[in-house]
Amino acid sequence: DTAVSQTPKYLVTQMGNDKSIKCEQNLGHDTMYWYKQDSKKFLKIMFSYNNKELIINETVPNRFSPKSPDKAHLNLHINSLELGDSAVYFCASSHMVGTEAFFGQGTRLTVV
Amino acid sequence: QQQVKQSPQSLIVQKGGISIINCAYENTAFDYFPWYQQFPGKGPALLIAIRPDVSEKKEGRFTISFNKSAKQFSLHIMDSQPGDSATYFCAATKRTSGTYKYIFGTGTRLKVLA
């Protein structure tokens, strides 16, 4: 009964590959996010969706493409992976703007 | 305008001591200030939050102090315990902006010695 679940937890891949990270929330929230946490633990928002509509698209390379098939799911697809993409990616959800954000356990992406 | 500055970067406290983490923001439009706690290998989890219409909020051993004029807020952990050892993030957002964006501080790694 995990509230926000991400798969996979670990992802090791070679440069140039394409990979996807999946996220599902069972909290009934209408807003979902992707955050990137770098090696220094800095958390930076990448995308936010509200009711399947893209609300925030921070200065993220267009190799990153989020997809929200429904309110409960927000997937992240990354094309042509680069070494600098190595980080922990967190999915999160909230009921509405400014309320508590619930985070998943993160996906540690390592590009070699 | 969008930054939240957090200090210190790391903190070591003896068991039973007080841990204090400070944050400063620039955007006066922010109206919700949560603190998140993150254990290794886990996602951040909400610890406590405050709105700018109050100067202090206490939940158990955790207290947020808020100084609106100075644009600063801080987290105090009283009677710190080894189980409090984690990374703490302050954050800020504007609840009514429709941007759904939290701005996080850079994090403070707290270690409480037994």
Side-chain angles (χ1 to χ4, degrees):
Chain A
D1 59 345
T2 305
V4 181
S5 59
Q6 298 176 228
T7 54
K9 189 170 182 181
Y10 300 97
L11 185 54
V12 181
T13 187
Q14 291 188 325
M15 275 196 318
N17 283 352
D18 303 338
K19 291 293 178 186
S20 292
I21 306 171
K22 295 186 176 182
C23 178
E24 176 181 4
Q25 54 96 3
N26 62 6
L27 297 166
H29 291 162
D30 47 19
T31 305
M32 296 186 73
Y33 314 79
W34 277 109
Y35 279 85
K36 179 180 179 180
Q37 187 171 49
D38 62 24
S39 58
K40 294 185 178 180
K41 295 281 192 178
F42 186 54
L43 268 169
K44 192 171 190 304
I45 191 166
M46 300 173 68
F47 302 103
S48 174
Y49 270 75
N50 181 250
N51 284 319
K52 301 194 299 176
E53 181 185 350
L54 180 64
I55 299 296
I56 296 173
N57 184 349
E58 291 293 289
T59 51
V60 177
N62 56 16
R63 297 182 295 104
F64 291 79
S65 53
K67 282 190 172 53
S68 181
D70 55 57
K71 275 177 30 171
H73 296 84
L74 180 62
N75 304 321
L76 183 65
H77 188 75
I78 316 170
N79 289 327
S80 303
L81 278 154
E82 300 177 357
L83 291 176
D85 297 332
S86 296
V88 180
Y89 292 84
F90 285 101
C91 176
S93 73
S94 67
H95 176 51
M96 62 178 69
V97 61
T99 58
E100 178 181 357
F102 289 79
F103 284 78
Q105 289 211 351
T107 295
R108 182 174 293 277
L109 171 65
T110 304
V111 182
V112 297
Chain B
Q1 273 277 320
Q2 291 293 319
Q3 277 190 318
V4 177
K5 295 180 180 177
Q6 183 172 347
S7 63
Q9 192 173 18
S10 63
L11 183 60
I12 299 175
V13 173
Q14 293 286 340
K15 180 182 174 182
I18 303 173
S19 305
I20 302 174
I21 304 170
N22 301 300
C23 283
Y25 62 98
E26 299 168 353
N27 189 344
T28 54
F30 288 147
D31 58 7
Y32 181 69
F33 302 89
W35 283 89
Y36 280 79
Q37 179 188 55
Q38 184 181 25
F39 292 106
K42 303 290 186 186
L46 181 68
L47 187 63
I48 186 172
I50 196 168
R51 294 192 222 179
D53 52 348
V54 297
S55 59
E56 186 175 281
K57 183 173 182 180
K58 185 175 181 179
E59 289 184 2
R61 295 183 295 109
F62 301 92
T63 300
I64 300 179
S65 296
F66 189 85
N67 186 329
K68 190 173 181 178
S69 60
K71 294 186 284 185
Q72 295 175 347
F73 58 111
S74 59
L75 176 69
H76 291 64
I77 306 175
M78 312 300 287
D79 187 25
S80 298
Q81 299 296 313
D84 297 331
S85 297
T87 300
Y88 292 81
F89 294 93
C90 61
T93 189
K94 184 176 186 327
R95 292 165 62 97
T96 57
S97 68
T99 61
Y100 303 85
K101 185 195 296 190
Y102 288 88
I103 307 297
F104 282 88
T106 48
T108 297
R109 295 191 194 204
L110 171 66
K111 186 174 177 66
V112 181
L113 302 177

